[in-house]
Amino acid sequence: MLNMGGVGLARGLRVVTQACLRATRGGSPALARATGSPRPGDRRLLAGPGPRWRRLSLSAAVIVNSAPRPLQPYLRLMRLDKPIGTWLLYLPCTWSIALAAEPGCFPDWYMLSLFGTGAVLMRGAGCTINDMWDRDYDKKVIRTASRPIAAGDISTFQSFVFLGGQLTLALGVLLCLNYYSIALGAASLLLVITYPLMKRITYWPQLVLGLTFNWGALLGWSAIKGSCDPSVCLPLYFSGIMWTLIYDTIYAHQDKRDDALIGIKSTALLFCDNTKQWLSGFSVAMLGALSLVGVNAGQTAPYYTALAAVGAHLAHQIYSLDIHRPEDCWDKFASNRTIGLMVFSGIILGNLWKEKKTDEMKKTIDSKIEN
C-alpha cells in the first residue's frame, strides 16, 4: 500500500512539474503566478543559475567579465575588477585637495576628477609592474595563481607594451598640473617601480607601499597651491603611511602561510600574534597626525567629529579582526575605504564650517565697532 502511495505521489509531482514548465513557456498565466515562475515579459531578474535569468549587478567584477574577452586579461591586470586598491590610492589625494580649498568652499571638482583618472592609471601601472616582478612567485600562491601574467594569459612583452600605454596616459594627466607638481609626481615613479622588490629584502614592504600610495597627500595640495606646505602636507603624508601599515598588514595576513613557504616577507609575518598591538599603535599615530593636520590647517568641529568616528571604526576593526581567517582579513581590509571617505567628508564639512565661523566673527567685530 505504501508502494502504491509512492507511485501516486511521483505521478502527481510529474504532472505539476510539467504544468509549471508549460506555464513558463507561455501556458496558463495563473499557474505561472501561483508557482512563482517568470512570465513572458516579466522584468524581474532572478538569482537562479540559469543564463536567462541573472541578477542585475553593476559591480566592477561583473563589468570586467562583460567586456570583450580579449580585453579581460588586461582589465584584470589593472585590477579593475577589484577597485578597492584604486580607492586607497585616490583617497589621500582627495584629503589633500579638500584641505587646500578656500574656507567655505567645496574641493576643486576638476582636480578631483583629474586625480581620480590618474589613480586608476597609476594603480593599473603599479599592478602591472608588481605582476611582472612577481610572476614566478604568483604561480606558487593559490590566491594569485590566476593573475593574467602568472596564468599565461598575457606575455611579458605584451605586459611591457601595456605598461607603456598606461604610463603614457598617466603622464598626460600629470602634464595638466603646474611645474612643481609635475616634478613632484615624476619623483614618485622610483617608488612605484621598486616597491614590488621590497618584499624580497625587508619585512617592512608595507612601509614602502605607504610611501608610494600616499604620495597624493603631497601632490594634491601642490596642484592647488603651487607648492607644498610642510606644516600640513608632512603630517598628512605621515598619517597616510600609518593608515597603509594598518590595512596592508591586515591584507598580508591572507597569504602569510604561502609567503612563509616561498620566502616572501611582510609585516604580517613580522608581527604574527602581536599584530593587533602594532595596529593599535599605528592607529594612534594616524589619528595624532590627522589631529595635527587639523590644527595647522585651521580645521573646525566637523573635522574632529569625523576623526572620532574614524577612531571608533579603527578600534572596532582591530578588535574584531581574526588574523587566521583570510575572508575576515579581506573584509576588514576593504572596509578601509569607509575610513578614507570619513576623513574626506570631515575635511569638506570642516572647511564649510569655516565660512560660517568667519561670518559670526565678522558680525561680532562689527557689533563691537558700532557700540
Side-chain angles (χ1 to χ4, degrees), residues 1-219:
M1 191 167 180
L2 288 172
N3 188 36
M4 291 175 64
V7 172
L9 179 60
R11 287 176 179 171
L13 289 173
R14 192 178 303 118
V15 169
V16 172
T17 303
Q18 290 171 353
C20 289
L21 290 173
R22 284 197 300 272
T24 305
R25 293 168 186 166
S28 168
L31 183 56
R33 285 193 293 272
T35 58
S37 302
R39 294 168 288 160
D42 192 345
R43 298 178 68 180
R44 291 179 305 156
L45 296 178
L46 305 182
R52 251 179 112 174
W53 300 94
R54 290 178 180 168
R55 188 189 300 273
L56 180 63
S57 175
L58 291 178
S59 70
V62 169
I63 292 172
V64 168
N65 291 334
S66 301
R69 191 166 295 276
L71 287 180
Q72 289 183 23
Y74 294 96
L75 300 180
R76 291 201 307 274
L77 182 60
M78 293 180 71
R79 308 287 198 278
L80 287 186
D81 56 330
K82 298 176 181 177
I84 178 61
T86 303
W87 276 107
L88 296 175
L89 176 63
Y90 177 54
L91 284 165
C93 306
T94 68
W95 302 350
S96 191
I97 292 169
L99 283 166
E102 293 297 320
C105 297
F106 283 99
D108 188 318
W109 298 109
Y110 171 71
M111 282 297 173
L112 288 174
S113 61
L114 200 65
F115 274 72
T117 303
V120 172
L121 292 169
M122 285 308 298
R123 199 255 176 151
C127 290
T128 303
I129 293 170
N130 181 80
D131 289 6
M132 290 168 66
W133 281 119
D134 288 353
R135 60 186 180 273
D136 293 330
Y137 286 107
D138 285 346
K139 295 174 184 177
K140 301 173 184 177
V141 178
I142 295 173
R143 188 178 60 83
T144 60
S146 60
R147 287 179 176 173
I149 296 177
D153 297 330
I154 297 177
S155 68
T156 302
F157 175 75
Q158 288 171 323
S159 60
F160 264 115
V161 174
F162 185 55
L163 174 62
Q166 292 175 93
L167 291 177
T168 301
L169 292 174
L171 177 62
V173 172
L174 187 62
L175 292 176
C176 295
L177 307 180
N178 55 58
Y179 290 122
Y180 182 97
S181 300
I182 292 172
L184 184 62
S188 69
L189 193 59
L190 181 62
L191 286 170
V192 174
I193 294 172
T194 57
Y195 156 68
L197 296 174
M198 293 300 108
K199 65 189 77 171
R200 298 163 171 79
I201 300 170
T202 175
Y203 280 100
W204 290 90
Q206 281 69 30
L207 176 61
V208 182
L209 180 66
L211 295 170
T212 308
F213 249 50
N214 294 283
W215 203 258
L218 308 175
L219 196 57

Side-chain angles (χ1 to χ4, degrees), residues 246 250 276 279-280 283-284 287 307-323 325 328-329 331-336 338-339 342:
I246 295 167
I250 294 172
K276 290 191 177 185
L279 296 185
S280 299
S283 299
V284 171
L287 292 170
L307 289 193
V310 167
H313 191 293
L314 285 170
H316 175 265
Q317 184 181 144
I318 294 169
Y319 177 77
S320 61
L321 173 66
D322 185 349
I323 60 174
R325 285 185 57 234
D328 188 57
C329 291
D331 290 340
K332 296 298 191 300
F333 163 74
S335 72
N336 277 274
T338 303
I339 289 178
M342 283 180 179

